[in-house]
Amino acid sequence: MSVETQKETLGFQTEVKQLLHLMIHSLYSNKEIFLRELISNASDAVDKLRFEALAKPELLEGGAELKIRVSFDKDAKTVTLEDNGIGMSREDAITHLGTIAKSGTADFMKHLTGDQKKDSHLIGQFGVGFYSAFIVADKVDVFSRRAGSAASEGVHWSSRGEGNFEVATIDKAERGTRIVLHLKSGEDEFADGWRLRNIIKKYSDHIALPIELPKEVAAAEGEEKPAVEWETVNRASALWTRPRTEIKDEEYQEFYKHIAHDFENPLSWSHNKVEGKLEYSSLLYVPSRAPFDLYQREAPKGLKLYVQRVFVMDQAESFLPLYLRFIKGVVDSNDLSLNVSREILQKDPIIDSMKSALTKRVLDMLEKLAKNEPEQYKGFWKNFGQVMKEGPAEDFANKEKIAGLLRFASTSGDDGEQVVGLAEYLARAKEGQDKIYYLTGETYAQVKNSPHLEVFRKKGIEVLLLTDRIDEWLMSYLSDFDGKSFVDVARGDLDLGNLDSEEDKKAAEEVAKAKEGLVERLKTALGESVAEVRVSHRLTDSPAILAIGEQDLGLQMRQILEASGQKVPDSKPIFEFNPAHPLIEKLDNEQSDERFGDLSHILFDQAALAAGDSLKDPAAYVRRLNKLLVELSA
Ligand code: ADP
């Protein structure tokens, strides 16, 4: 063993300590995955070297045969992984193996419950990587040297996973990383050639470079120990270059886990080869669960980019729109240059056409999933629906396709689950219905009971119920679907078109005429609070309702703008009343102007409350109501 200098002991970042603790205690049921994780890292390190060496061939230090070796020592109870990839400097080892750089990690850790079963699911979202070594080892030694640096600049990192790690500077002749796992007592089953071979075949067959194990060789005559011969145990070719028909589902799944750092299988994937003017392969996956940092701006997104099989960059963001940022995968281009940079990617017209083709692929894959596996699609929607709703605003060209993938709650269900697609809605629309009706609001409970739905209930017309924060904004980008326009049922002068019979319309006109006097009186009483007063066709049970002007902002948009500190244009609602309601009849017969005023204001305020709005002057409402109550009991 070489001399160690500048030895120091450092503490793990708090999040690492928590992660380690959890890993050691909750991932016991599937311990063998540690090997997959470490091989995955080694493969990434080799990819990085291969790429950097394009510009600086000296990094290869004369050794261009890139590989990973896994060996074991039954007596010492160790398993060793060695790669000749990019390696780590002392500083690299301290930061990469002592902290977690992902944004939002601290927040994520707060979600841990202490319940090991639940937490092991959470941890799947997070990806455990290197630290999984501690599932089977009670001590881990890492010997590494960054490619291109002097032999004297190697690093020895060592830890028992208990809060601290040590680093020292060492001499290391070969570039790359060697990881020695000192197996915990009871875990020595892993120091076995057959076991290791099986694990590698199971999880790492798709790794594109050779993974070698020592072969059992008889000792040559006169020698005590046989010379070690190495044997490649994986297939060692890039998965996406192979024909689809030859790839098993399990291989696709393991490859996904490698590139996505996910523990769970993907929901779906799409593997394609494009030939012609542009040549590229793509393998795109829909994860089965949202990562914890889906809504964090700096969270990693984008595809792994290869150019002619050579890894070029992670998180290449230019190949998919932002609303598809949850898609994982690789794209391997024959047209791009190997020294392509992020800046070039942003401008290159080749990328634009690849982006639109890949976007289509993803949308097609989702359509297929929705059609063939509706239950799975429900799960997809729960995880990623909110993000998909950003689509129509971002991707005008695919608006109709995206709209078809949206799912909403509606009056046809009673649990508020977002399961109704627009095609399904239209398929069961009433005869003569040429609109898609929807209502937005704060909560499902509120919209479900909204007076705006009364006439729709009566006529048996389905209404979509939209209660996500971004729904009103989303609807401002959708004007129609399949030739049918969207109608906000709380907005403007509700026109039910062919759904109202000629008699209905005539009757409504007559009532409106008969109530002109009441309309005028209400206008005077409500004054500045309203934009207009009119007889309603929307109501069957409630006395009154507030409608939003055709061009005005709805409640949700107003609240979003207010919360972001923007000035919101003042808008007044339209007061509509139900002439058949006993309270309105009473109002119509009210002689006292003062009582008329009080009652109209109470009706106005109640309508605002029912719409989920807050009252401008709640004290006045209470005062008026109490006055009436006193009169009633007098
Ligand atoms: P992740 O792989 O998700 O980034 P890990 O905890 O697995 O997280 O690894 C942390 C970092 O340590 C890696 O990103 C890489 O920079 C470094 N690393 C791990 N293993 C190796 C290796 N074999 N060679 C070089 N660097 C490595």
Side-chain angles (χ1 to χ4, degrees):
M1 175 105 322
S2 62
V3 196
E4 305 210 336
T5 58
Q6 299 172 53
K7 211 164 168 159
E8 63 180 320
T9 302
L10 296 161
F12 284 118
Q13 180 196 26
T14 318
E15 286 82 21
V16 176
K17 280 187 219 162
Q18 285 171 303
L19 184 66
L20 278 171
H21 180 84
L22 191 64
M23 202 135 36
I24 293 164
H25 295 282
S26 61
L27 291 180
Y28 47 79
S29 59
N30 197 12
K31 292 177 176 170
E32 61 191 25
I33 56 103
F34 79 91
L35 195 60
R36 168 184 81 192
E37 299 293 308
L38 297 179
I39 287 177
S40 180
N41 279 348
S43 155
D44 288 347
V46 167
D47 271 350
K48 279 182 205 152
L49 173 73
R50 199 184 272 137
F51 175 65
E52 286 190 24
L54 291 172
K56 290 195 228 157
E58 65 274 17
L59 289 183
L60 292 172
E61 301 175 10
E65 205 189 306
L66 301 167
K67 57 180 175 275
I68 300 172
R69 280 182 166 170
V70 181
S71 56
F72 58 94
D73 183 330
K74 268 189 164 47
D75 302 326
K77 298 197 172 96
T78 58
V79 171
T80 299
L81 274 99
E82 184 151 24
D83 68 67
N84 54 1
I86 193 73
M88 282 177 276
S89 67
R90 182 183 171 110
E91 288 69 38
D92 289 342
I94 293 173
T95 41
H96 296 327
L97 309 183
T99 59
I100 301 173
K102 288 193 186 108
S103 61
T105 301
D107 273 352
F108 169 79
M109 291 296 176
K110 284 197 204 109
H111 286 104
L112 299 180
T113 57
D115 176 337
Q116 292 177 358
K117 218 158 161 196
K118 279 195 202 132
D119 288 350
S120 67
H121 272 290
L122 274 176
I123 213 165
Q125 290 178 48
F126 192 81
V128 289
F130 169 76
Y131 300 107
S132 64
F134 290 97
I135 302 173
V136 295
D138 50 17
K139 181 174 179 230
V140 177
D141 281 310
V142 179
F143 304 91
S144 194
R145 177 170 67 75
R146 175 96 194 166
S149 63
S152 58
E153 286 173 29
V155 60
H156 175 197
W157 179 103
S158 178
S159 175
R160 293 183 172 278
E162 289 162 355
N164 298 323
F165 61 91
E166 281 177 7
V167 276
T169 297
I170 55 165
D171 276 352
K172 189 171 184 294
E174 324 76 31
R175 66 150 196 273
T177 304
R178 183 167 77 248
I179 299 180
V180 183
L181 308 176
H182 302 269
L183 298 172
K184 289 178 189 171
S185 73
E187 308 296 352
D188 36 344
E189 56 173 301
F190 290 109
D192 177 88
W194 272 109
R195 189 71 208 274
L196 291 171
R197 175 187 296 260
N198 286 334
I199 303 174
I200 293 168
K201 285 299 280 180
K202 181 164 164 195
Y203 297 108
S204 308
D205 203 36
H206 61 80
I207 295 285
L209 75 158
I211 304 170
E212 299 182 344
L213 275 176
K215 211 160 134 180
E216 302 279 335
V217 192
E221 216 169 310
E223 280 180 36
E224 231 172 81
K225 264 196 164 180
V228 183
E229 269 184 45
W230 296 88
E231 175 183 30
T232 302
V233 294
N234 65 328
R235 188 190 290 262
S237 70
L239 184 85
W240 64 89
T241 60
R242 290 165 46 200
R244 263 194 305 226
T245 46
E246 286 176 17
I247 305 176
K248 290 198 286 263
D249 283 0
E250 293 74 30
E251 294 180 85
Y252 278 122
Q253 288 162 346
E254 284 311 324
F255 183 69
Y256 165 78
K257 291 176 188 166
H258 165 59
I259 56 159
H261 300 273
D262 192 348
F263 265 50
E264 300 230 336
N265 284 330
L267 208 52
S268 180
W269 57 84
S270 167
H271 179 192
N272 296 93
K273 197 171 183 155
V274 175
E275 274 160 348
K277 223 166 92 210
L278 288 180
E279 287 191 10
Y280 62 90
S281 304
S282 62
L283 174 48
L284 305 172
Y285 290 94
V286 182
S288 54
R289 221 179 16 201
F292 73 98
D293 51 4
L294 184 62
Y295 293 100
Q296 252 139 29
R297 204 187 288 244
E298 331 78 77
K301 49 184 158 292
L303 304 176
K304 241 175 146 69
L305 174 64
Y306 288 76
V307 171
Q308 295 170 30
R309 319 269 150 333
V310 178
F311 168 76
V312 171
M313 72 177 77
D314 265 321
Q315 299 164 32
E317 296 175 10
S318 310
F319 292 94
L320 286 174
L322 212 55
Y323 72 96
L324 298 178
R325 59 183 175 273
F326 53 87
I327 297 291
K328 304 280 184 201
V330 301
V331 50
D332 185 350
S333 160
N334 279 348
D335 306 300
L336 293 169
S337 138
L338 274 164
N339 52 27
V340 66
S341 67
R342 274 178 210 280
E343 291 66 40
I344 293 175
L345 283 182
Q346 279 166 12
K347 292 189 213 112
D348 195 328
I350 293 184
I351 306 303
D352 278 342
S353 51
M354 286 174 76
K355 180 176 178 178
S356 64
L358 293 169
T359 302
K360 280 244 160 56
R361 287 239 184 274
V362 173
L363 297 176
D364 287 346
M365 164 162 61
L366 293 173
E367 268 172 10
K368 233 198 236 152
L369 187 71
K371 189 158 161 262
N372 302 337
E373 313 272 354
E375 276 309 308
Q376 297 216 12
Y377 192 77
K378 267 188 205 166
F380 164 77
W381 186 257
K382 272 210 184 89
N383 278 294
F384 301 109
Q386 295 278 321
V387 186
M388 289 298 291
K389 284 181 175 177
E390 298 170 14
E394 186 187 358
D395 188 359
F396 189 79
N398 289 307
K399 212 159 77 167
E400 183 88 358
K401 236 172 154 43
I402 302 166
L405 291 166
L406 301 175
R407 293 293 179 269
F408 302 100
S410 97
T411 48
S412 74
D414 54 8
D415 52 5
E417 247 202 294
Q418 300 183 2
V419 292
V420 181
L422 295 174
E424 182 187 352
Y425 174 93
L426 287 176
R428 60 181 180 226
K430 280 248 150 185
E431 183 142 338
Q433 180 182 345
D434 58 355
K435 302 272 191 294
I436 301 170
Y437 295 103
Y438 71 93
L439 175 64
T440 60
E442 193 87 344
T443 63
Y444 175 69
Q446 178 220 317
V447 289
K448 188 179 72 169
N449 299 316
S450 166
H452 283 287
L453 297 176
E454 288 174 11
V455 66
F456 293 92
R457 287 244 162 73
K458 187 173 133 204
K459 292 183 182 284
I461 304 169
E462 183 173 4
V463 178
L464 302 173
L465 302 175
L466 278 53
T467 54
D468 283 336
R469 242 178 94 79
I470 63 167
D471 281 342
E472 199 187 316
W473 173 82
L474 161 70
M475 296 315 284
S476 69
Y477 286 92
L478 292 176
S479 53
D480 49 76
F481 177 77
D482 201 11
K484 309 276 191 294
S485 50
F486 287 98
V487 171
D488 179 347
V489 305
R491 194 176 278 278
D493 194 4
L494 185 66
D495 177 8
L496 291 179
N498 297 333
L499 294 168
D500 267 337
S501 65
E502 284 307 314
E503 292 99 82
D504 283 347
K505 282 180 193 161
K506 243 212 183 98
E509 267 169 41
E510 273 163 27
V511 176
K513 244 210 162 88
K515 294 296 166 190
E516 271 170 4
L518 179 56
V519 167
E520 285 312 313
R521 251 182 117 188
L522 277 164
K523 271 188 192 160
T524 317
L526 295 173
E528 288 299 295
S529 322
V530 294
E532 207 188 322
V533 174
R534 65 187 173 214
V535 177
S536 183
H537 339 288
R538 302 177 208 245
L539 299 174
T540 57
D541 302 328
S542 304
I545 203 169
L546 298 181
I548 314 161
E550 203 67 69
Q551 307 300 334
D552 290 341
L553 287 177
L555 191 57
Q556 261 188 348
M557 284 285 261
R558 252 172 35 218
Q559 286 169 344
I560 292 175
L561 289 175
E562 271 163 11
S564 69
Q566 297 191 54
K567 229 177 113 64
V568 181
D570 219 16
S571 61
K572 290 177 196 163
I574 299 156
F575 182 82
E576 289 191 0
F577 62 88
N578 172 5
H581 196 278
L583 260 178
I584 299 294
E585 283 172 1
K586 215 171 167 160
L587 189 71
D588 205 6
N589 296 326
E590 181 56 60
Q591 301 302 318
S592 148
D593 277 340
E594 190 188 333
R595 267 250 200 132
F596 184 92
D598 284 344
L599 198 51
S600 342
H601 277 286
I602 287 173
L603 289 171
F604 176 89
D605 284 348
Q606 283 182 345
L609 288 173
D613 208 347
S614 53
L615 299 184
K616 298 229 163 51
D617 187 354
Y621 170 73
V622 172
R623 199 171 54 238
R624 289 193 186 105
L625 190 63
N626 287 348
K627 198 165 133 198
L628 272 183
L629 289 173
V630 169
E631 284 175 14
L632 209 71
S633 51

